[in-house]
Amino acid sequence: MTLSLLFEVAMLVSSVCGFLVAAWLLWRARKQGDLQALAGFAIMMAIWCFGHVVLFQGYERIGIYIILANPLMPTFFLHFAIRFVNSGAAKEVMLDRLLQAVPWFYVTSFAVVLQSWWMGAGDAIGTLDTRSFFIFTDAGTWNLAYTVLIGILAHGVLLFGWYRHSGNKKRSILAMFGVGAWGLLLATSFVFPSFGISWFPYPMLLLPTYLLLLVYAVVRYQILSVNAFANRALLWVAMMLVILCLIAVISVVSGRVGLQALADVPSWQLWLYSLLMLVMSALIYQPLNRLISRVIYPGAVLNETVLEVWSSQLKEAQDWTQLIGIGERLLSSQVRQNVDIRFDSVDETQQEDNGQTLALSVFRSESGWRFLLIGWNDASPGMRLTAEVFGSLFSTSCGLLERSLALAVAERKRLDEQHLVELGSLSAAMAHELRNPLNIIAMAAYDSPPETRQHIQTQLKRADRLVSDMLVYSGGLTLQISTTPLRSLVKSIVAQAQLEGISCEVNIPESIALEADPQRLQQVFINLIDNAVAFLRNQPDGKLCIEATMNADAVVILVHNNGPEIDDSLQGEVLFQPFMTKRAGGSGLGLAIVRRIIDAHGGHIQHRADTAWPVTFELILPQHSAYSRLGNTSHDTK
């Protein structure tokens, strides 16, 4: 093979690669302006290389005209560089202005090309084994200078982008600079004959690699399929190099071991035969792989499309029931048999496999979601493989749904807490505003008849109590922690209470003292005693008992009364919710305020129905406040 023929083949391969790369970029680019401009660069480079082929075939005038269009190549590359560097959130004013001037660069490049055609800026000389080769004439100096200038400007834009950007884009620009240096090395030999240097342009034989490396440097961080293609391409190159080395070793060793016929075969033929075998192996690999899979796993049709459909449909599930429904439909459709999917515990999955019903058992373990096939012993290998792949994907979907539901619960809780804060602020504002009209009503009723004034005063006290409770419940609690003797506190509250003939017994040892806010604790007992008196008032033998005991780190307080038992509908947490009451004239906030104060102290309150009394409230308060242990005397809680 002569050098001129080798050069022609290299130019033809570069041209074909350029058109293929341009078509692929246009297919992937869609609305990406930078890749469209890069596709234009690939097309112009393909046309430019084809111009050399045309020139070698004897069509000198056409070939010269095509090669003289080379200013359009760096113009397309400049357009690409501007769009590539200026893409993303951050826009540069200078690049925006340069982008607006791109049409003028194209117009100028066309003008230079037309001027080069008109002035005869190119010619052909007989070199390279008497084959024609392009050279610039004196009139082509402007063409060459303009092409170099636009190329420098394009790489200057890339240099600016490398300085301004970071991450993948910066790495892409750095890779483009490396490829640009490679392209400059290859293209330099093109102008040697124009300067009278009689040297064969060997570097241009590697020109097909420049365009492929440039495109790979641009899109390797944007399109993952390019990396997969590059991975396969590098594997092929490595395998061809290994074959080349093996052929060299075989050529040397075969004659010495008695295989003279093999030693007489030219090395390039051995390498060519091996390369053809490698190509044939690559072509039949996928069909053979599918055939063998069907022989080993008959009935299993698993590919990327099926897995993508499974994954996308399982992600649509919003709850566990929907996830099971989608999973059973997908797996049953794939294996053409009914399959049950169920959630079990780890122990339940150890049941015997009876082989009668196909089932996929999914369970939560310490290491995450796992699955177990039940009833698949008599299934074909293909069905088992399908079930195992689906089970793995379904287990992953369970983990995703679990995290999604947990996030949804947390978000609902956050919104509920935000709503409660807003509602508390609104209640506090309304309570403050209600006090003004209540005061006006009280003053207006001063001159009314005594019976009417008494009735108005009673209702005003009730309204004022409701306003006070709303302010306490909706506002923030400020705890002033101090050592509080419990017995003396409760005795003082009982002495001031209007018991109206109700007997009250206090069984609290003198030694019990709490680290608590005495004012807030006083409010707790006032609300509990008032609530009990309201129900005991019309009962002939009303009794109230308050007792307390102390264990290692807490004080347990029991408040009993022999009033009517609490309705079953109000048992549990409902009893302590605001506005949940059957007490006539009550605000419905008394027990809610009590629980809020107890919670602020780090304690707990509950209603107990297992004592000898009809009604018992149990309060558990820490003997030593957490705030006092930290050295604080006050604490604000919302």
Side-chain angles (χ1 to χ4, degrees):
M1 182 180 291
T2 62
L3 289 176
S4 60
L5 181 58
L6 189 61
F7 182 85
E8 187 175 0
V9 171
M11 292 299 100
L12 186 60
V13 171
S14 299
S15 181
V16 173
C17 289
F19 282 116
L20 292 178
V21 166
W24 183 81
L25 284 174
L26 289 175
W27 173 62
R28 295 303 298 257
R30 293 178 176 88
K31 297 182 180 181
Q32 291 180 256
D34 53 350
L35 294 186
Q36 291 174 0
L38 186 61
F41 170 76
I43 291 174
M44 286 308 305
M45 186 171 180
I47 294 174
W48 185 82
C49 292
F50 186 71
H52 288 277
V53 177
V54 171
L55 189 64
F56 267 47
Q57 293 299 320
Y59 301 96
E60 293 186 356
R61 183 58 53 189
I62 298 176
I64 290 172
Y65 279 2
I66 292 176
I67 296 174
L68 285 175
N70 64 328
L72 293 174
M73 275 195 299
T75 305
F76 274 104
F77 190 77
L78 174 63
H79 187 188
F80 156 73
I82 297 172
R83 296 295 296 267
F84 183 79
V85 172
N86 207 35
S87 62
K91 301 289 185 179
E92 297 291 341
V93 177
M94 181 188 69
L95 293 180
D96 285 336
R97 294 176 180 174
L98 200 58
L99 184 61
Q100 294 174 0
V102 164
W104 293 105
F105 284 107
Y106 282 111
V107 171
T108 305
S109 298
F110 275 113
V112 171
V113 172
L114 293 175
Q115 183 262 353
S116 299
W117 290 349
W118 179 64
M119 297 186 63
D123 199 359
I125 62 172
T127 184
L128 300 177
D129 299 336
T130 70
R131 305 290 289 274
S132 297
F133 191 78
F134 176 85
I135 61 170
F136 285 104
T137 63
D138 292 339
T141 305
W142 289 107
N143 184 295
L144 182 60
Y146 177 81
T147 302
V148 173
L149 181 63
I150 296 298
I152 293 175
L153 179 60
H155 284 80
V157 172
L158 290 178
L159 182 61
F160 176 77
W162 179 83
Y163 174 74
R164 299 289 293 182
H165 287 287
S166 60
N168 285 338
K169 181 157 289 190
K170 188 168 187 174
R171 287 188 283 269
S172 294
I173 294 174
L174 184 61
M176 277 187 274
F177 266 105
V179 176
W182 175 249
L184 179 63
L185 177 63
L186 299 182
T188 300
S189 59
F190 161 70
V191 297
F192 283 170
S194 301
F195 292 99
I197 301 176
S198 181
W199 185 64
F200 185 84
Y202 289 101
M204 290 190 68
L205 299 178
L206 298 177
L207 199 59
T209 63
Y210 167 66
L211 187 60
L212 296 177
L213 290 176
L214 177 63
V215 174
Y216 180 60
V218 173
V219 300
R220 65 167 301 188
Y221 296 108
Q222 302 180 31
I223 305 174
L224 293 179
S225 59
V226 174
N227 295 281
F229 171 79
N231 182 63
R232 292 192 295 269
L234 289 176
L235 179 62
W236 270 69
V237 171
M239 291 180 67
M240 285 189 291
L241 291 176
V242 170
I243 290 175
L244 187 61
C245 294
L246 287 176
I247 295 302
V249 173
I250 290 173
S251 299
V252 174
V253 176
S254 56
R256 299 180 180 180
V257 296
L259 300 175
Q260 189 61 38
L262 182 61
D264 293 338
V265 178
S267 298
W268 68 269
Q269 290 186 12
L270 291 175
W271 184 81
L272 181 60
Y273 296 152
S274 302
L275 182 61
L276 288 176
M277 292 298 296
L278 181 63
V279 172
M280 290 299 298
S281 300
L283 291 177
I284 66 174
Y285 172 76
Q286 289 295 340
L288 284 178
N289 184 41
R290 287 194 293 267
L291 177 61
I292 293 173
S293 297
R294 291 181 180 180
V295 172
I296 302 300
Y297 300 107
V301 183
L302 295 177
N303 49 46
E304 292 182 0
T305 304
V306 174
L307 296 179
E308 185 176 352
V309 170
W310 285 354
S311 179
S312 61
Q313 294 195 23
L314 289 174
K315 287 180 181 178
E316 296 176 357
Q318 302 296 321
D319 53 44
W320 297 109
T321 303
Q322 190 176 7
L323 182 63
I324 290 178
I326 295 174
E328 290 179 345
R329 175 174 56 82
L330 292 175
L331 185 54
S332 299
S333 175
Q334 190 69 21
V335 301
R336 295 182 178 86
Q337 290 191 33
N338 291 330
V339 181
D340 293 333
I341 297 180
R342 57 176 182 257
F343 292 108
D344 297 322
S345 65
V346 178
D347 295 333
E348 290 173 338
T349 58
Q350 305 303 322
Q351 59 184 291
E352 183 180 356
D353 188 351
N354 52 31
Q356 296 177 356
T357 303
L358 298 181
L360 178 66
S361 175
V362 186
F363 56 94
R364 188 77 162 80
S365 66
E366 295 181 356
S367 59
W369 286 93
R370 306 285 297 277
F371 73 94
L372 184 67
L373 300 181
I374 298 176
W376 295 80
N377 285 343
D378 295 331
S380 66
M383 292 176 60
R384 286 185 61 88
L385 175 64
T386 301
E388 288 177 357
V389 173
F390 184 84
S392 178
L393 187 60
F394 191 84
S395 300
T396 303
S397 299
C398 288
L400 294 175
L401 180 60
E402 183 181 39
R403 288 190 290 272
S404 176
L405 294 176
L407 290 175
V409 170
E411 178 64 14
R412 284 197 299 269
K413 183 178 180 181
R414 186 189 67 82
L415 293 176
D416 290 342
E417 291 177 351
Q418 181 180 355
H419 178 69
L420 289 175
V421 172
E422 294 173 352
L423 185 60
S425 301
L426 178 62
S427 300
M430 289 180 61
H432 282 293
E433 292 297 326
L434 283 174
R435 282 239 165 105
N436 292 328
L438 290 178
N439 291 331
I440 295 175
I441 293 173
M443 290 185 293
Y446 185 76
D447 295 331
S448 61
E451 183 178 351
T452 303
R453 185 169 63 251
Q454 180 63 31
H455 181 68
I456 292 175
Q457 292 293 335
T458 301
Q459 296 302 320
L460 286 176
K461 288 181 180 179
R462 178 185 174 189
D464 186 70
R465 177 63 181 272
L466 178 60
V467 170
S468 299
D469 288 347
M470 287 182 64
L471 286 174
V472 171
Y473 186 76
S474 62
L477 290 180
T478 301
L479 300 182
Q480 301 293 334
I481 304 298
S482 63
T483 302
T484 304
L486 184 60
R487 177 180 174 83
S488 60
L489 176 69
V490 174
K491 293 288 282 186
S492 64
I493 295 171
V494 172
Q496 298 176 11
Q498 298 178 357
L499 298 179
E500 302 179 9
I502 299 170
S503 64
C504 182
E505 182 181 357
V506 177
N507 296 324
I508 300 176
E510 292 281 355
S511 59
I512 295 180
L514 292 171
E515 295 291 338
D517 185 332
Q519 300 296 325
R520 297 297 183 183
L521 208 55
Q522 186 179 29
Q523 190 172 10
V524 167
F525 288 105
I526 289 175
N527 285 7
L528 290 175
I529 292 173
D530 286 350
N531 190 64
V533 169
F535 288 100
L536 295 173
R537 183 179 294 116
N538 298 323
Q539 190 166 317
D541 189 21
K543 293 182 180 179
L544 183 63
C545 178
I546 303 174
E547 58 183 7
T549 57
M550 184 172 61
N551 55 28
D553 55 356
V555 175
V556 180
I557 306 170
L558 299 175
V559 180
H560 310 285
N561 70 77
N562 63 346
E565 295 183 357
I566 296 176
D567 196 292
D568 292 340
S569 62
L570 296 179
Q571 293 287 351
E573 292 295 317
V574 178
L575 183 62
F576 299 96
Q577 292 180 0
F579 307 113
M580 297 298 296
T581 182
K582 291 191 176 182
R583 168 186 168 186
S587 67
L589 290 174
L591 291 179
I593 292 173
V594 168
R595 186 176 69 168
R596 190 158 183 226
I597 295 174
I598 296 299
D599 289 344
H601 282 82
H604 176 69
I605 182 173
Q606 64 177 347
H607 169 259
R608 290 182 56 178
D610 57 348
T611 64
W613 294 79
V615 178
T616 299
F617 287 98
E618 182 183 55
L619 290 71
I620 301 177
L621 288 168
Q623 184 179 3
H624 299 287
S625 170
Y627 315 121
S628 64
R629 287 197 301 271
L630 295 174
N632 298 330
T633 58
S634 65
H635 177 70
D636 292 338
T637 180
K638 298 295 182 184

